[in-house]
Amino acid sequence: MEYVLALDEGTTSARAALYDREGRRIAMESAPIQPRYPQPGWVEQDPEEIWQAQLAAARLLIERCGIAPRQIGAIGITNQRETTIVWERASGRPVAPAIVWQCRRTADYCARLAASPAAAEITRRTGLVVDPYFSASKIRWILDHVPGMQARARAGELAFGTVDTWLVWKLTRGRVHVTDPSNASRTLLMHLASGDWDPVLLECFDVPRSMLPAIRPSSSIVGLADAAWLGSEIPIAGIAGDQQAALAGQACFRAGLCKNTYGTGCFALLHTGDAVPVSENRLLATRAASPDASPQFAIEGSVFIAGAAVQWLRDQLGLLATAAESEALATSVADTAGVYLVPAFVGLGAPHWDPAARGILTGLTRAAARAHIVRAALESIAYQTRDLIVAMERDAGQPLRELRVDGGAAANNFLMQFQADILDRPIVRPADTETTALGAAFLAGLAVGFWKGVEELESFRRVERIFEPHMPASQRERLLAGWQEAVARCRWRPDGMV
Ligand code: ADP
């Protein structure tokens, strides 16, 4: 046993990475996956393509590394969450395309349910809100729209899975039908505290229990990958949804530890230990991927437009040639000259929750130049993250000591320093920002004894840089007051109502 293999199945590509005993990434390979958009708001993928891409990436990795497959001690799987696949148990054939997490086809169904008395009970049981994002309404759609499926589901002929479940099914040639609590907690069908499928929720969505996988601990051996696939029978020993895997990959295994991923949007997760979180700020409560069998929890929140604001400057306004160029421009000026950008392009998320809000650029004077606007866009990512983290801290009832970061825009040093200043907490950037795959490897390696425990995993952490807060409190408060004013203005309505 010399390596752990992580399979990282994302929305646009499947990746495979190999880790050594010290938790170092030896190599990574990927294969693209093509989403399809059959109607406005609909997003689908081909389940067979997902599997073939994942298999191709893993095979390429093993071949390029020149290792013997039997040197791989365990496989860990991490995946795009909520994406829904239903297949025939007997043949293993999907009965419909995979309905991707982004797909809004069940918006009307969810709007009706969200307005009903059942909604509060669903939130109480799951820690989530009724929304097309989660799996349950997507299963409902398949059973309602593919002829004969409700009857076949009742007869026990169908299986449901998120992408982790599908990959395990494929790897084991249909012998194992499982998921883990971090993925199950995103379906709207699992009781968050008990960690089991909830009969009340199954009845609410009319989903037969026989379709559902067994829920197994995130770090446990769930089956053996057939030798035909990767050249050796390898234990599948770790499963986690992508955001929870990133939390584990950042070695956030204890209450109060938090990571934020700066991508197109931001995803922040705050570990709450064994305490079931209840959000007063409409953040989500979810399962963390536990390194042992004990239940662990997290509060999750997201910023809709983060790196996407930089893309907008580049593609819509033509102010930038590349996203990376934003750093030099932002630091070429001392401040934004009073300019704020609130990129509420698709409304505002937590803690404001205003879907009708729209983006706004405020404080413009003749002094405002390209660099000020670019700087304001980067600062907006930090302000939005701060608003989210403050809400999370309030929900968790404990302050953050530091924020661990990853994702494409975490490479921006100006953004990270401004984040430290405006949050008034140290920002910690790891050497390896591929934290999702690393988290899956950690979970699998623990289960097979490749690693001894979380202390050992913590010792693997290699910090590339810590950004300490330096900004005087008076300056921070002045800047935050300006931001809050700008946010209030982007919620302005033509009738004068704020
Ligand atoms: P995703 O996984 O959501 O596609 P990534 O983690 O690859 O995103 O990050 C890409 C996003 O980060 C893009 O929106 C891009 O505009 C932004 N980005 C990438 N590099 C930088 C940078 N140096 N400064 C600011 N933003 C950046």
Side-chain angles (χ1 to χ4, degrees):
M1 249 189 355
E2 287 165 63
Y3 304 104
V4 172
L5 171 64
L7 304 182
D8 179 359
E9 200 293 313
T11 309
T12 56
S13 70
R15 302 190 291 178
L18 208 58
Y19 293 89
D20 71 9
R21 277 206 176 275
E22 279 70 51
R24 277 184 304 240
R25 179 154 51 87
I26 303 298
M28 189 167 214
E29 296 293 343
S30 76
I33 296 166
Q34 215 47 58
R36 296 180 202 148
Y37 308 97
Q39 291 187 32
W42 288 35
V43 190
E44 297 180 347
Q45 285 173 348
D46 175 357
E48 276 306 326
E49 187 186 340
I50 291 174
W51 158 242
Q52 290 299 337
Q54 190 61 81
L55 183 61
R59 284 179 163 165
L60 188 64
L61 178 77
I62 292 170
E63 190 188 305
R64 291 231 168 119
C65 288
I67 61 159
R70 63 186 150 65
Q71 291 175 283
I72 301 173
I75 296 174
I77 295 176
T78 179
N79 55 291
Q80 52 168 318
R81 303 178 301 175
E82 297 102 9
T83 296
T84 296
I85 305 173
V86 175
W87 62 93
E88 293 177 340
R89 283 188 180 277
S91 69
R93 262 201 307 274
V95 302
I99 305 183
V100 176
W101 57 275
Q102 297 150 319
C103 186
R104 306 300 293 177
R105 76 180 65 188
T106 58
D108 289 345
Y109 171 88
C110 288
R112 280 194 303 278
L113 188 56
S116 79
E121 186 61 19
I122 293 172
T123 293
R124 207 179 60 72
R125 288 171 184 267
T126 60
L128 308 175
V129 293
V130 175
D131 191 274
Y133 183 27
F134 305 108
S135 311
S137 70
K138 300 180 194 291
I139 303 176
R140 191 65 258 135
W141 192 94
I142 292 173
L143 298 184
D144 282 340
H145 291 83
V146 185
M149 287 305 145
Q150 186 69 27
R152 294 193 63 193
R154 288 227 175 82
E157 293 175 18
L158 301 183
F160 152 76
T162 39
V163 172
D164 55 313
T165 305
W166 173 243
L167 293 178
V168 173
W169 175 279
K170 283 295 201 182
L171 284 166
T172 61
R173 289 188 182 275
R175 281 190 285 269
V176 179
H177 187 216
V178 296
T179 188
D180 88 301
S182 74
N183 276 293
S185 70
R186 317 293 300 180
T187 59
L188 277 176
L189 298 174
M190 192 193 88
H191 191 283
L192 181 64
S194 80
D196 201 358
W197 304 119
D198 183 328
V200 172
L201 298 169
L202 297 186
E203 195 183 317
C204 177
F205 289 97
D206 196 12
V207 171
R209 191 178 173 120
S210 62
M211 289 181 79
L212 302 178
I215 303 175
R216 302 285 305 277
S218 303
S219 179
S220 65
I221 299 174
V222 298
L224 296 172
D226 196 281
W229 303 129
L230 299 175
S232 174
E233 228 178 30
I234 307 169
I236 305 165
I239 303 177
D242 52 12
Q243 298 306 323
Q244 288 98 331
L247 191 67
Q250 291 269 22
C252 295
F253 292 114
R254 296 169 213 279
L257 293 175
C258 183
K259 71 92 195 173
N260 190 31
T261 301
Y262 296 80
T264 309
C266 285
F267 275 101
L269 267 79
L270 170 62
H271 206 292
T272 62
D274 55 11
V276 185
V278 178
S279 179
E280 305 290 334
N281 296 286
R282 289 171 58 199
L283 298 170
L284 303 177
T286 198
R287 283 295 189 119
S290 176
D292 51 44
S294 70
Q296 298 193 342
F297 300 86
I299 300 177
E300 176 172 326
S302 53
V303 168
F304 302 145
I305 303 289
V310 179
Q311 282 169 355
W312 177 73
L313 295 181
R314 189 191 61 196
D315 303 338
Q316 254 75 18
L317 301 192
L319 296 188
L320 296 169
T322 64
E325 194 194 349
S326 62
E327 182 174 336
L329 267 165
T331 51
S332 73
V333 287
D335 54 35
T336 67
V339 175
Y340 287 91
L341 172 69
V342 186
F345 302 155
V346 293
L348 283 171
H352 312 287
W353 293 109
D354 185 353
R358 287 296 175 265
I360 191 170
L361 193 59
T362 67
L364 293 172
T365 64
R366 279 296 296 269
R370 176 166 80 115
H372 299 108
I373 293 172
V374 170
R375 183 171 172 131
L378 291 177
E379 290 188 358
S380 78
I381 301 174
Y383 286 124
Q384 293 181 92
T385 296
R386 180 208 169 260
D387 289 351
L388 184 62
I389 299 287
V390 166
M392 286 182 142
E393 283 180 326
R394 227 176 268 144
D395 275 345
Q398 52 190 342
L400 220 64
R401 288 214 329 273
E402 61 182 32
L403 180 64
R404 301 180 181 179
V405 300
D406 50 51
N412 190 307
N413 294 320
F414 166 77
L415 171 59
M416 293 299 105
Q417 183 57 52
F418 190 77
Q419 185 71 80
D421 286 336
I422 215 69
L423 189 61
D424 197 23
R425 301 278 193 284
I427 301 298
V428 182
R429 189 167 66 192
D432 182 359
T433 54
E434 293 291 348
T435 54
T436 307
L438 180 60
F442 278 174
L443 295 165
L446 281 178
V448 297
F450 189 68
W451 294 307
K452 295 286 164 289
V454 295
E455 290 76 18
E456 186 177 5
L457 302 182
E458 281 161 351
S459 78
F460 296 156
R461 277 188 74 218
R462 277 176 291 276
V463 171
E464 182 255 332
R465 189 159 165 191
I466 299 178
F467 298 84
E468 295 285 351
H470 296 308
M471 188 180 279
S474 57
Q475 188 184 354
R476 182 168 51 250
E477 275 149 31
R478 188 172 51 75
L479 289 173
L480 282 171
W483 166 253
Q484 278 144 11
E485 177 69 27
V487 169
R489 279 166 197 260
C490 92
R491 306 180 67 179
W492 175 85
R493 301 283 183 282
D495 59 4
M497 298 292 290
V498 168

